[in-house]
Each structure stands twice: as C-alpha cells, then as structure tokens.
Amino acid sequence: MQQKPSGPLRGCITVPGDKSISHRAVMLGALASGDTRITGFLMGEDCLSTIDCFRKMGVEIEINDTEVVVHGVGLHGLSEPEGPLYTGNSGTTTRLICGILAGQPFTVTVSGDASIQKRPMGRVIGPLREMGARIHGRDDNFCPLTLYPSELYGMEYTLPVASAQLKSAILLAGLYAEGQTTVIEPTPSRDHTERMFRALGVEIETNGNVITLDPPEDLHAIDIAVPGDISSAAFFLAAGAIVPRSELTIRNVGVNPTRTGVIDVLRAMGADITESNHLDGAEPVCDLTVRHSALHGTEIGGAIIPRLIDELPVIAVAAAFAEGTTVIRDAAELKVKESNRIAAMVTELAKAGVDIEETADGMIIRGGQTVHGADFATYGDHRIAMSLAVLALAADGASRIADPEVVSISYPGFFDTLDRLGG
Ligand code: SPQ
C-alpha cells in the first residue's frame, strides 16, 4: 500500500480493546463458574486465536460485534480437544495457555504460525516442569509443545526476564497446583493477570516484585469491560507528536501504570500529552490528547523497559524526528517478538535515511535530519507495519508498505482510523 505524507491529524478517536486484557478475559472466563460478558473485546486475529483454542476445549463462546460472552466451564471443566490447538501468531495465547494446559487431565499439543515456531518457549517449559508438568517441545525450546497429564506443586520462582507472559503462565499453573505459588520479577511487568484474578475472587498478593497465589476452589464469573489498548493508542500519540499542526484525542485508553512507559518517554522527549476524564476501576482509563511539538532525544533503559516494550518501534520513529540522540538499551527482549524488532527497525529506518545504529540490547538513533519515504518491509509484524505507517505520515515523499494487512493481528481498523484523522 502507498502512503503519502500527511496534513495535520485532527479529531477524536477510540482504539480497539486491549489485547493483553482481551486474551486474559477469555481464558479466565472459560475457567470461571458462570457467564463472563466481555465488552470492548479486541476482535484482532490474536484474540480470536485464543477464543478458537477454548472453543476446541468445549467452552461455548458467543461473539456479537465487540461483545463476547464466555460460558465458563469451571476450573476443572475443560475437555480434551480433538486435535492440536493452533495459536496463530500469538505469543500470549501460546505461553499463557501452557500454564492452564499443564494442569489438565488430558494430553494436548499446541503450535502456531512460522513466527510462533521461532519464539522461545524454554522460558515457560522450565518453570512448569519445576512445578511437576510433563512437557515436550521441539529442541526443548520451541513449538509444537505437547503437555501430558501431571500433578502440579506450588513453588517459588525467580523470573530470569521481566515477562508478563512467563509470570502469567506460572500463576495460571498455580491455579491447579498443591500449595502456594510465588513468582519474583526482576522488574514489574504488566499486571493484568493479577488484577483479573483478584476481581474473580482469587487470593493473590503483590508485595513489591513478589507475587503469591493461593490455589482457589473456583473462579467467580464477572462482567469485564476492556479499555482501549495503550499499545494501539501509542501509534497515534507518536503520530500526533510528529505531524505538524496535529491535535487529537484518544478516548477511554487503559492507563494501568505497568503499561504507561510510552507516555512518560514521549513527554520526556517534549511531547505535549494531556490526560482527562480519569476513571479508576480494576483497570484505570482516561482520555489522552496529543498536540504536535518539537521533540528532542532521550535515554531509555532499565525498569521502564517492560512498561513500554511493545511501543519501542514507534518510539524509535518518534526519535527519528527528534533533535539529538536517543539511546534505547536493556531491550534485548525485542529480538524475540513477532520479528526481531531491533533488526527490523534499524534496517527500515536506515532505508528512510535515518542515522541509526544497532546495539546488543537496543539501538541509537541520531534524529532531526530529513526522513525520506521509502519501500518498507513489515517482517510480518503488526507493530512494525504500524510504526512505519506513522513514519510515512511525516516523511518527505511517498512510502510503500508491504503486506499492510498484518495490522489485523492487533488493530484491524488501523488504516481506516488514520484516514479519518486526515492521515
Ligand atoms: O502475544 P505476543 O505475540 O507476544 O504480543 C506482543 C505484541 O507486541 O503484541 C509481543 F510481541 O505483546 C506481548 C508483550 O510484549 C503481550 C504480553 C502479554 O499480554 O502478557 C506481554 C509482553 O510479552 P512478554 O514476553 O514481555 O511477556
């Protein structure tokens, strides 16, 4: 698809529901006793993969527009699927479901697309085995993964990486374990699983970086309102900041503090972002307004990284338009996402004439020079596609983006919303 430089982006939009919360709502709704009504559900391919997996295990799930009703089967009510579970492109589905499957009395195989088959699963296999799970993975690290019936025991586990998927897989297995399960994080990662557990009546305590779960008798079904995804809003925050004369508002965005690193970093770069209409609930939300402003480089590393890991590609785009140098470090996890997001962004931004250098755990961007339109590859990665679309809005000359349809993994209407804003 061809994208030309944009006039100002103006207007008021909503973004689709949070992907992380949508996955968890289906998973925990399936294991709850009673019906879970989910509003604002993300109808992206990844979340539909999660629905498909649970349907195959006997859970009735209705979809009406953006509302989903999960008829929970209870903690011990899943049934053996007829064939393997297919998780598509979704790392969250693949890793979290392993925690649940480890506690089931049947054998099941899980795999996904070519990208999922390259993503490391050893980080989940190891701790689940320590809890007593019997799991076989290709080369002990990759899909397909086969899980066999086994007895699970609670344990204390220190995560080697700050990963919400790994933390959640262990806590989900903890539902089926004898005794307490404790997870210690190097730095806090998104805590949607813990918040949802609490809302469903599970005893779970967070003390700094230590999370302890007591296995429950059952989960009580509740209604879940999914807020707009801050990871999707991030594309418009960056676009509004770099396209001259823009001013746009994104309503009802989830601003859980474990996810708001992108707001902190864009503000540190000089972006004009204001918050209004704060609502506190299981997951806090507010409206975000961004106005174009001059940006400058910054340093990004340490504990903020898990709070903005998925937004680093679009932050790199903002850095290309910022005066001075931006250094991103401590972000080696970017190499094992849907694509190697460090290599992908360095290669594509260099095509646009950006002075950018790959480092072992991040990148260095010397911004403020003219950024040119170019023919961009997406590496089959939704976040790379949308980040490059944002770059194209403010670049000099037209750009072409190969396979733009990959955005449907997390944001099916992305290009329509961009059009509506004048992009
Ligand atoms: O689900 P998937 O494919 O892993 O999606 C990504 C994304 O960019 O949408 C990562 F590639 O988000 C992850 C995120 O990076 C979603 C997630 C979650 O919902 O728990 C946690 C993060 O991954 P991790 O590996 O740090 O736990």
Side-chain angles (χ1 to χ4, degrees):
M1 105 178 259
Q2 206 190 39
Q3 193 158 322
K4 303 226 172 81
S6 167
L9 302 174
R10 292 183 163 268
C12 184
I13 58 167
T14 54
V15 290
D18 188 279
K19 177 158 81 67
S20 297
I21 298 173
S22 296
H23 282 301
R24 287 156 171 85
V26 169
M27 292 181 181
L28 297 192
L31 302 181
S33 304
D35 292 349
T36 296
R37 188 174 300 277
I38 310 168
T39 48
F41 185 82
L42 168 62
M43 294 295 168
E45 284 176 21
D46 272 10
C47 297
L48 295 174
S49 293
T50 292
I51 287 185
D52 186 53
C53 289
F54 282 87
R55 280 180 171 161
K56 287 196 168 123
M57 291 190 285
V59 183
E60 209 185 305
I61 303 175
E62 293 167 52
I63 301 180
N64 315 297
D65 199 11
T66 61
E67 186 174 301
V68 168
V69 180
V70 183
H71 300 284
V73 294
L75 259 183
H76 301 282
L78 294 178
S79 47
E80 183 169 358
E82 277 177 14
L85 298 178
Y86 182 72
T87 57
N89 189 246
S90 175
T92 309
T93 313
T94 312
R95 296 198 177 110
L96 269 60
I97 213 168
C98 283
I100 295 172
L101 297 177
Q104 302 308 314
F106 48 78
T107 298
V108 57
T109 296
V110 178
S111 197
D113 69 5
S115 153
I116 276 296
Q117 291 182 40
K118 284 192 223 138
R119 293 179 69 181
M121 297 296 153
R123 57 181 61 189
V124 177
I125 296 174
L128 291 181
R129 270 192 193 143
E130 278 188 42
M131 293 178 82
R134 290 190 300 139
I135 309 183
H136 179 265
R138 181 171 50 86
D139 296 335
D140 234 19
N141 193 22
F142 298 103
C143 283
L145 304 172
T146 301
L147 295 98
Y148 305 92
S150 42
E151 302 228 326
L152 301 182
Y153 301 93
M155 64 160 181
E156 182 178 300
Y157 188 78
T158 302
L159 303 182
V161 282
S163 160
Q165 293 178 356
L166 174 49
K167 169 178 66 176
S168 301
I170 297 168
L171 293 173
L172 286 162
L175 294 176
Y176 295 95
E178 196 186 308
Q180 276 191 340
T181 296
T182 297
V183 178
I184 304 168
E185 303 191 87
T187 39
S189 63
R190 66 192 70 190
D191 65 355
H192 307 300
T193 305
E194 297 93 301
R195 285 173 185 252
M196 209 177 282
F197 270 152
R198 261 175 220 121
L200 271 68
V202 177
E203 268 187 53
I204 181 163
E205 241 182 68
T206 304
N207 268 319
N209 292 1
V210 182
I211 303 132
T212 303
L213 171 134
D214 278 301
E217 296 272 298
D218 60 3
L219 310 181
H220 315 303
I222 54 162
D223 289 346
I224 297 173
V226 181
D229 196 328
I230 190 164
S231 297
S232 298
F235 299 110
F236 297 106
L237 293 178
I242 63 175
V243 175
R245 292 177 291 117
S246 294
E247 173 169 347
L248 62 103
T249 295
I250 315 156
R251 293 218 193 281
N252 190 42
V253 182
V255 282
N256 176 322
T258 60
R259 296 284 299 281
T260 47
V262 62
I263 299 177
D264 298 348
V265 161
L266 287 175
R267 280 184 178 148
M269 295 174 78
D272 176 357
I273 300 174
T274 52
E275 299 171 24
S276 56
N277 299 325
H278 269 276
L279 259 184
D280 264 334
E283 292 282 351
V285 296
C286 77
D287 299 341
L288 296 171
T289 297
V290 59
R291 294 173 193 85
H292 169 257
S293 53
L295 300 184
H296 52 81
T298 189
E299 300 227 345
I300 308 166
I304 200 170
I305 294 293
R307 296 180 52 231
L308 48 62
I309 187 76
D310 297 336
E311 290 69 70
L312 284 169
V314 80
I315 288 172
V317 168
F321 291 92
E323 275 304 323
T325 302
T326 295
V327 180
I328 300 174
R329 62 168 75 90
D330 305 322
E333 277 292 297
L334 282 181
K335 295 180 184 173
V336 290
K337 300 294 182 185
E338 286 84 324
S339 67
N340 175 340
R341 288 178 175 166
I342 296 180
M345 289 311 292
V346 168
T347 307
E348 299 311 304
L349 291 194
K351 279 185 195 168
V354 177
D355 182 351
I356 184 165
E357 186 186 319
E358 181 170 347
T359 62
D361 62 353
M363 54 191 112
I364 300 171
I365 303 142
R366 295 175 193 89
Q369 313 297 316
T370 302
V371 177
H372 300 285
D375 272 5
F376 293 120
T378 67
Y379 307 81
D381 185 331
H382 53 131
R383 301 213 188 275
I384 301 297
M386 290 185 273
S387 300
L388 294 170
V390 170
L391 175 141
L393 295 171
D396 190 17
S399 297
R400 189 176 295 276
I401 298 176
D403 60 336
E405 63 283 351
V406 295
V407 303
S408 60
I409 290 293
S410 65
Y411 197 160
F414 173 76
F415 289 105
D416 295 338
T417 304
L418 210 50
D419 269 355
R420 226 169 346 111
L421 286 171

